[in-house]
Amino acid sequence: MRLREVREGDASELLGLMTRIDSETEFMLLEAGERQTTVEEHRERIKGVVARDNQTILVAESEGRLVGYLAAIGAPSRRVRHRAYVAVGVLQAFTGRGVGTRLFEELEAWARRHGVSRLELTVRTDNKRGTRLYEKMGFEVEGVKKRSLRVSHGYVDEYYMARLLPPDEPG
């Protein structure tokens, strides 16, 4: 398996990957069929992400095709440039094979190189596998968002989780 940063040319395949992951699990924000982004719109989003130094999309490739991704999205405001919100998805056929772990290891290295010292995410409280991965990667629960999402069987809560890295020098 190979990890790398996304390229504009990945727009179609990454969009397909995200759409497939949406349909494989209820743990993603978007439901199956809800993602309506065009390839060109997705290409523009990728261009916007790679244009800023405090955000990235990492992709995992196996046998020449994308099998997972991790997006770290930072804000332009000076007071919050040190933090990035993280979203991750891995094809079900590749879960439990270290893809998520490797993506988070690469994220940490990327964050240290780019002065990002706070990584944030939310995860459904009933997503035990995801929560275990995040805790293994150094994330801690900071709070609970009650009735945060409405899913097929009712409302579910989400954990706020964060991982703090050594801070960069103020500048």
Side-chain angles (χ1 to χ4, degrees), residues 45-57:
R45 285 183 185 166
I46 290 170
K47 282 172 64 172
V49 168
V50 299
R52 294 218 331 256
D53 64 349
N54 70 333
Q55 52 188 24
T56 191
I57 300 172

Side-chain angles (χ1 to χ4, degrees), residues 38-169:
T38 67
V39 172
E40 188 53 41
E41 289 168 336
H42 203 65
R43 182 175 285 108
E44 289 302 312
R45 285 183 185 166
I46 290 170
K47 282 172 64 172
V49 168
V50 299
R52 294 218 331 256
D53 64 349
N54 70 333
Q55 52 188 24
T56 191
I57 300 172
L58 304 171
V59 293
E61 288 180 316
S62 177
E63 298 180 13
R65 67 183 185 109
L66 300 184
V67 298
Y69 72 92
L70 185 151
I73 305 302
S77 305
R78 187 177 305 194
R79 290 184 177 178
V80 293
R81 284 189 54 74
H82 68 287
R83 69 184 190 206
Y85 183 83
V86 177
V88 61
V90 176
L91 288 174
Q92 287 298 303
F94 287 83
T95 60
R97 296 171 57 180
V99 177
T101 298
R102 297 234 358 244
L103 284 165
F104 274 98
E105 290 169 348
E106 185 63 29
L107 172 65
E108 180 180 342
W110 171 87
R112 290 177 188 278
R113 289 192 308 271
H114 290 88
V116 174
S117 60
R118 180 183 169 86
L119 302 170
E120 305 172 329
L121 57 82
T122 57
V123 60
R124 284 175 44 169
T125 57
D126 61 342
N127 184 349
K128 304 303 182 198
R129 183 180 226 168
T131 303
R132 279 194 308 271
L133 170 64
Y134 306 143
E135 288 174 338
K136 178 177 99 171
M137 301 312 299
F139 285 75
E140 297 179 2
V141 173
E142 293 187 330
V144 177
K145 293 171 68 174
K146 298 286 187 182
R147 290 179 47 167
S148 180
L149 301 170
R150 188 167 55 187
V151 296
S152 58
H153 60 277
Y155 291 99
V156 294
D157 299 342
E158 285 185 299
Y159 291 126
Y160 278 113
M161 296 185 81
R163 166 122 193 254
L164 303 179
L165 302 171
D168 56 341
E169 295 299 317

Side-chain angles (χ1 to χ4, degrees), residues 19-43:
T19 301
R20 183 166 168 202
I21 293 170
D22 292 343
S23 69
E24 289 185 342
T25 178
E26 280 197 355
F27 292 130
M28 301 305 288
L29 179 62
L30 297 181
E31 295 178 3
E34 189 175 8
R35 192 177 300 273
Q36 298 296 313
T37 308
T38 67
V39 172
E40 188 53 41
E41 289 168 336
H42 203 65
R43 182 175 285 108

